[in-house]
Amino acid sequence: MGVLHQAFERYADRLGQSVQDEWRKVQGRFADVPIITAVDEVIELVGRAVTTERSHPQSHQIAAIVASEIAERRPGVPKDLAERLDDCWPLNPAAAALLGPITRRRFSQNERSLFGFLASAEPSGFTEFLQRTTLASGRTFGPAELWDYLQVNLEPAIMASPDGHRWAQAAEAIARAGRDGTHLRLQIAKTVAVIDLFSNGSGLAASSRTIAASLGHSDADVEEQLADLVKISALVYRRHLGAYAIYAGSDFDIEGEIEARIAERGRLEIASLNDLASLQPILAKRHYAEYGTPRWFDAQIGELAPQGLGPKDVRVSAGAAGKFLLLLPGIDVDPGQAEASLIEVSRTEHRHGLPVIVGLASNSADIRKTAIELEAARDVRNESPELAGDAAARREIDARIAHLSAQLEGLLREGFERAHWFDTGKPLDLQSLSYGLSQAASDIARRTFRQAPIVHSELINRRRPSSNSNAALRALLHAIVVGRGEQHFGIKGYPAEKGLAVTVLERAGLYVRQGERWDFVPPGETSTFAPLWSLTDGLLEAGEQVGVADIYRAWGEPPYGVQQGVMPLLLVTYLFSRRHSTAIYAKEAFQPAISDLVMDLLLQDPDHIALRSVPTDAANAVALKEFAAVASEFVEEAPSEEPLEIAQALVQFAYSLPNWSRKAQATLSKQAIDVRRLLLDADDPYQLLFVDIPEALEASGEGTAPALRTVLSELDHAYPDMIEDLKTRMLEGLKHRDAGNLSELVERAKRIAGHGGDDLKLRGFITRLAEFDGSTESMAEICGLVMGKPVTTWHDLEPSRAGMQLSEYAYRFRRVELFGDSDQQPTQTAVMVMAGVGSTERSVVRRAQIATEAQKRLGPLLDEIGKTLDAAQLEPDMVLAVIAELAQRYIEDDGERDVTVPISAEKEA
């Protein structure tokens, strides 16, 4: 943070253009916070800095004149302004009033320039004046002397500032006044020049009284010289200000043009007056501090007509809490009957229950006159082509418009503050209120929204939160979905969403610790949220679906007045606190839980969300207990014995089924298909539990729950059973018998991993077998590979096709093992046996594969069998008979499917 005495860019004024450009870039990284002392404070500051023990009674009258002139043009000045001006002696009161505005100009440095003027020994300065002026002369340091000081010491800086052009015009006018003129005429010109240039914001104007008081001459002498200065075009008189100004060389008759436009317009249209006024809304500040909800009232001007108020008069803008309507009596209204008409108008019922407070302006004539003149001046500015080439006239009309705008603003402020206000036929006494209309707005807002909840959150307790606030709200709602049960919903650190959780929910007692967990609870009887919960319960008590948009609409109207930004969070809080009895529908589909989908729709399009009340049912307590027990077997969190929670659990189970299980038909029983359809299309929990499910199961009474358990188990196992069957078929094709021990198969796959030629799918099949753990997920990946699409997209026919594909790839796998490929040796050896099967007169052909490493280990066994046969000294036919009998014995007991051919066919062949 830096403290500067002047504007940032002023420090680089004397540097080159490139350096100034870099300086501006640096300035752009900072925010300017100007500390500007008010004009009256500067006067008091000067009065305390300039002290004297000398008596100066002659200055009191001059200070009083200047103070009255300022008060006439700037309402709201301190009551002791005359005393403050007199304390500045020997500074003339007019010069003292100008010091504040001058020190705020671009060529000055605020208080630094002020005290430099008072204490420095600059030529023509205040210190030099004190040294050269005697008390007996009666002179003061006036505006004329102030002009000399500025001209001698600061003219180059002024000429380089935005005031340079006007300063040059003033200097030229003073030069014309000095030619063949008296000293008084020159002093008058300087006085008018410095007041005209620098009086902005002070209320001081170069009237004849102010000039006479500043120079210590009679009004007659001053007015005579002023008339001469106007004749020589050094000065010009501005009637609307009642003051003189430097003549800028324009021949455009502004006064005549404005009067002509007023005559053309005739009477003032109230709609035009509202456009001219640009009234600011009236803030209910105390109500905001108490409730945390920003509320404002429209401020509008209307016309009191015999027929009462029109629709536009009582219309309240979107988001406003009501309206203060200041009425100007129409030409057809009897002034004596105006207040009675006003009282009658104030009793009118207004839409949505929002209050419209009506008042009668006591200064309506002044408001109309000033507004008509302002409108005419604007017309002159916008519709006079002569102004295009007359900069002086444009400057003057702009100043005239600015003055009239400020005057109208002051009159309207006075009109609103001093009007006779009526609220529902009763007078509103603003005199007894410390803060006027703002306090009245707070009192009316408190009465109108008497059941509004207290929500102290500037982030979301507003009509349209910012994008950052909406992002924080979205993050909090999603954190609620996954973190309910934890303090702050498990949010770590200090992000904005954690602040919302603490301020809106936890401090309000809506999310509290219950045992080891945190949970949502309904508000207590004394909570300011209790009326809102009661309202919502009443909207849902009929048992029909109610759209969230309708609930929001009821929340936003009196006497609740909930702001749109906080509605989603409060609705989610209500839903969780009433989760045992409130069903949720998203796009007309029953929702088993408050999910991320529900949260997103609440934020983006609440029209697609509806609620429905589902009361408890004591008559079916036994059946509900059995249903709850069945449902608890298939979901993670056991439901309570409430119909809504049981239905939500069953629907959640149906939606959590694998996609194939939600679409399969051929592999499921009719009852399973019917129950699945009912759960996926559920709407009414009672209808689902006590009508639809019993009908689908063809069961009733105590038999319904067991039958439901059987069907749910069938649905639950459908997908894993299908995958397990495919795994069995794959292992058979791979000639792997031990499904419980897959290490041998994995080793087989690892030995040929990376092989399979150009068949990328086969190579992928081998790679997945090298990592195969037998799980459903691992098997599903292999199935998806061989089918070319994920299992989640399968339909009824896909499993049979997948079985054939798995057999095909198992065969290819074994071929790679047997024959290898171009750069890999075989890892297995094929064996085929054909043996007779006794009296059946059929032969059996059996093929088998053994690893080459295992084949090597068979050598000793073959040697032992050979020795046994050799020792028996059997004939060759007998040896073959022994081998055939052994083959028949082991082939019949190995559990493999036989490939048989008739022996007779072999003979024929």
Side-chain angles (χ1 to χ4, degrees):
M1 181 178 70
V3 180
L4 308 180
H5 292 288
Q6 58 185 349
F8 196 88
E9 69 273 10
R10 294 287 295 165
Y11 291 91
D13 273 355
R14 299 183 182 180
L15 304 177
Q17 185 61 44
S18 60
V19 177
Q20 291 187 32
D21 293 340
E22 292 298 322
W23 198 256
R24 292 189 187 95
K25 293 180 182 177
V26 175
Q27 180 186 10
R29 300 170 187 163
F30 294 87
D32 292 336
V33 182
I35 302 175
I36 301 174
T37 307
V39 174
D40 300 327
E41 292 177 353
V42 173
I43 294 173
E44 184 177 5
L45 193 64
V46 172
R48 294 183 180 183
V50 178
T51 59
T52 180
E53 297 179 354
R54 302 294 181 89
S55 176
H56 47 92
Q58 71 280 3
S59 66
H60 300 336
Q61 184 178 1
I62 298 174
I65 293 173
V66 173
S68 66
E69 289 286 313
I70 292 175
E72 183 179 338
R73 293 170 176 81
R74 183 164 63 90
V77 299
K79 295 180 179 180
D80 61 344
L81 179 61
E83 288 77 3
R84 294 186 187 186
L85 291 171
D86 192 42
D87 290 340
C88 298
W89 185 89
L91 269 176
N92 186 276
L98 292 171
L99 287 178
I102 289 175
T103 56
R104 289 202 300 267
R105 309 301 274 202
R106 196 165 184 175
F107 55 82
S108 295
Q109 299 180 24
N110 298 320
E111 285 76 10
R112 183 176 180 182
S113 295
L114 174 64
F115 285 101
F117 162 74
L118 293 175
S120 69
E122 294 171 308
S124 301
F126 185 60
T127 301
E128 182 180 292
F129 173 82
L130 294 177
Q131 294 171 349
R132 295 185 176 182
T133 306
T134 62
L135 181 63
S137 67
R139 290 180 56 206
T140 58
F141 191 93
E145 287 74 19
L146 186 56
W147 169 273
D148 293 337
Y149 168 78
L150 294 174
Q151 187 177 41
V152 171
N153 298 285
L154 295 174
E155 187 170 52
I158 296 174
M159 292 299 294
S161 74
D163 296 311
H165 181 67
R166 295 185 63 210
W167 177 273
Q169 288 181 333
E172 174 62 25
I174 291 172
R176 288 199 304 272
R179 298 189 192 110
D180 303 326
T182 63
H183 177 70
L184 177 58
R185 180 183 298 180
L186 184 62
Q187 294 294 94
I188 291 175
K190 291 179 179 178
T191 300
V192 172
V194 75
I195 293 176
D196 186 33
L197 279 170
F198 304 117
S199 64
N200 187 30
S202 69
L204 190 65
S207 65
S208 58
R209 289 186 67 207
T210 301
I211 297 171
S214 300
L215 297 175
H217 286 267
S218 66
D219 292 347
D221 292 342
V222 169
E223 289 176 359
E224 180 183 352
Q225 296 297 327
L226 285 170
D228 291 341
L229 289 170
V230 170
K231 286 180 181 180
I232 64 172
S233 297
L235 302 181
V236 62
Y237 181 67
R238 292 178 176 171
R239 184 179 60 80
H240 66 286
L241 292 177
Y244 291 86
I246 295 297
Y247 181 73
S250 172
D251 296 326
F252 186 77
D253 186 5
I254 293 178
E255 291 295 337
E257 288 292 329
I258 290 178
E259 290 177 0
R261 299 300 174 116
I262 292 174
E264 290 176 7
R265 283 189 167 273
R267 65 190 302 270
L268 175 69
E269 294 293 335
I270 294 298
S272 302
L273 177 57
N274 279 291
D275 293 337
L276 292 171
S278 299
L279 297 172
Q280 297 300 311
I282 298 169
L283 305 180
K285 298 178 182 178
R286 178 179 293 181
H287 180 82
Y288 174 59
E290 293 175 352
Y291 288 83
T293 303
R295 303 197 193 277
W296 66 92
F297 288 71
D298 292 334
Q300 183 178 324
I301 304 167
E303 188 170 47
L304 181 60
Q307 64 271 23
L309 301 180
K312 291 184 178 180
D313 293 325
V314 297
R315 184 180 301 137
V316 177
S317 64
K323 174 186 284 188
F324 279 85
L325 180 63
L326 182 66
L327 297 176
L328 308 182
I331 57 176
D332 299 329
V333 175
D334 183 0
Q337 299 297 320
E339 187 167 307
S341 301
L342 190 71
I343 295 173
E344 187 62 29
V345 165
S346 71
R347 293 195 178 101
T348 305
E349 291 292 332
H350 305 297
R351 189 181 178 188
H352 300 310
L354 297 176
V356 176
I357 317 302
V358 294
L360 190 64
S362 58
N363 59 346
S364 59
D366 293 337
I367 292 175
R368 287 181 183 274
K369 177 178 178 297
T370 305
I372 291 175
E373 188 174 352
L374 174 58
E375 198 169 23
R378 287 186 174 184
D379 288 346
V380 170
R381 180 66 175 87
N382 298 327
E383 300 173 6
S384 299
E386 300 92 334
L387 293 177
D390 194 336
R394 288 200 306 272
R395 205 162 39 244
E396 184 174 351
I397 192 64
D398 288 341
R400 180 75 166 266
I401 292 172
H403 169 76
L404 289 170
S405 297
Q407 187 176 359
L408 180 61
E409 181 181 347
L411 289 171
L412 290 174
R413 187 188 313 109
E414 179 184 352
F416 271 91
E417 291 175 352
R418 299 184 181 181
H420 302 289
W421 292 101
F422 291 87
D423 178 16
T424 62
K426 299 177 182 178
L428 192 65
D429 184 12
L430 294 185
Q431 303 301 322
S432 62
L433 301 177
S434 305
Y435 301 100
L437 288 177
S438 177
Q439 185 173 341
S442 293
D443 293 341
I444 296 169
R446 188 185 303 110
R447 182 196 71 206
T448 305
F449 304 102
R450 55 192 175 277
Q451 293 185 326
I454 296 177
V455 181
H456 287 291
S457 173
E458 294 185 357
L459 286 179
I460 61 173
N461 191 15
R462 55 186 61 250
R463 184 165 174 256
R464 289 193 178 92
S466 66
S467 58
N468 290 336
S469 299
N470 282 327
L473 176 59
R474 183 183 300 276
L476 174 58
L477 293 182
H478 289 296
I480 289 174
V481 173
V482 298
R484 184 170 64 91
E486 301 181 52
Q487 186 178 15
H488 314 320
F489 306 102
I491 301 172
K492 305 300 181 183
Y494 299 95
E497 55 266 28
K498 182 176 181 180
L500 290 178
V502 173
T503 56
V504 180
L505 302 179
E506 295 179 10
R507 289 181 181 172
L510 299 175
Y511 186 68
V512 299
R513 180 187 291 276
Q514 292 191 323
E516 297 297 324
R517 288 172 53 83
W518 284 69
D519 205 353
F520 289 94
V521 295
E525 293 181 359
T526 59
S527 171
T528 59
F529 292 90
L532 202 63
W533 259 241
S534 298
L535 168 67
T536 313
D537 292 341
L539 293 173
L540 300 175
E541 66 180 357
E544 301 294 332
Q545 287 191 25
V546 179
V548 166
D550 295 328
I551 295 175
Y552 282 176
R553 194 174 299 110
W555 283 9
E557 294 179 354
Y560 308 97
V562 179
Q563 296 290 303
Q564 293 178 2
V566 77
M567 285 181 179
L569 183 56
L570 293 183
L571 185 70
V572 168
T573 305
Y574 173 85
L575 290 175
F576 274 111
S577 68
R578 295 280 196 261
R579 60 184 177 275
H580 300 302
S581 59
T582 305
I584 307 170
Y585 300 84
K587 297 183 178 180
E588 300 183 358
F590 177 69
Q591 298 299 304
I594 303 177
S595 61
D596 287 332
L597 170 65
V598 174
M599 296 298 192
D600 287 336
L601 286 176
L602 281 176
L603 290 173
Q604 298 171 7
D605 196 354
D607 289 335
H608 286 157
I609 299 290
L611 308 181
R612 182 179 183 181
S613 177
V614 182
T616 58
D617 185 6
N620 295 307
V622 175
L624 290 173
K625 183 176 182 180
E626 294 175 351
F627 281 136
V630 171
S632 64
E633 298 175 15
F634 299 94
V635 294
E636 293 183 3
E637 187 175 348
S640 65
E641 297 173 8
E642 299 289 342
L644 176 60
E645 286 209 30
I646 296 171
Q648 287 176 333
L650 294 176
V651 172
Q652 183 179 4
F653 163 76
Y655 275 101
S656 64
L657 288 172
N659 194 52
W660 183 83
S661 298
R662 295 209 300 267
K663 296 187 295 184
Q665 299 285 334
T667 58
L668 296 176
S669 66
K670 179 180 181 302
Q671 290 181 330
I673 294 172
D674 290 343
V675 169
R676 180 187 63 189
R677 175 181 53 78
L678 291 172
L679 295 180
L680 293 176
D681 298 337
D683 183 2
D684 186 334
Y686 273 106
Q687 181 77 14
L688 175 68
L689 295 177
F690 299 114
V691 178
D692 295 338
I693 288 179
E695 287 182 358
L697 296 174
E698 298 179 355
S700 61
E702 297 179 356
T704 305
L708 179 62
R709 180 183 287 107
T710 301
V711 167
L712 295 181
S713 179
E714 180 182 352
L715 291 170
D716 194 33
H717 290 90
Y719 177 77
D721 287 350
M722 181 269 293
I723 295 294
E724 187 65 27
D725 178 64
L726 291 175
K727 183 174 75 172
T728 301
R729 296 180 65 178
M730 182 187 73
L731 294 179
E732 287 179 357
L734 292 169
K735 299 298 182 180
H736 183 83
R737 292 186 175 86
D738 189 359
N741 184 3
L742 299 172
S743 58
E744 180 184 346
L745 176 62
V746 171
E747 288 299 321
R748 287 170 58 188
K750 287 181 177 179
R751 283 196 290 268
I752 62 172
H755 300 280
D758 296 332
D759 191 339
L760 297 180
K761 190 177 288 189
L762 175 59
R763 293 164 70 98
F765 180 76
I766 296 171
T767 300
R768 281 166 174 76
L769 283 179
E771 301 171 351
F772 186 55
D773 59 4
S775 66
T776 301
E777 293 77 12
S778 181
M779 188 62 211
E781 288 185 6
I782 294 176
C783 292
L785 172 70
V786 300
M787 289 296 292
K789 57 182 178 180
V791 180
T792 55
T793 64
W794 285 10
H795 49 74
D796 272 348
L797 298 179
E798 303 297 341
S800 60
R801 294 175 183 171
M804 291 187 289
Q805 289 290 324
L806 288 169
S807 298
E808 172 67 20
Y809 278 93
Y811 172 72
R812 296 183 186 181
F813 178 92
R814 288 161 51 204
R815 284 183 61 85
V816 174
E817 288 184 311
L818 286 172
F819 305 113
D821 55 21
S822 59
D823 59 349
Q824 187 249 348
Q825 295 298 320
T827 62
Q828 293 207 348
T829 299
V831 178
M832 184 179 73
V833 176
M834 178 180 288
V837 195
S839 59
T840 61
E841 296 186 355
R842 300 183 70 83
S843 64
V844 176
V845 178
R846 180 61 52 82
R847 300 180 181 87
Q849 289 181 209
I850 59 174
T852 54
E853 295 295 329
Q855 186 181 23
K856 295 177 182 178
R857 295 196 298 271
L858 296 178
L861 179 59
L862 292 174
D863 292 342
E864 186 67 27
I865 294 173
K867 289 178 182 179
T868 302
L869 293 175
D870 290 342
Q873 298 182 354
L874 299 175
E875 294 180 3
D877 288 347
M878 296 298 290
V879 171
L880 290 176
V882 170
I883 294 173
E885 286 292 334
L886 288 173
Q888 175 191 352
R889 183 186 306 171
Y890 285 101
I891 287 175
E892 288 180 344
D893 294 340
D894 67 359
E896 290 283 346
R897 289 176 292 184
D898 296 334
V899 179
T900 62
V901 292
I903 293 177
S904 60
E906 294 174 352
K907 292 179 180 179
E908 292 175 1

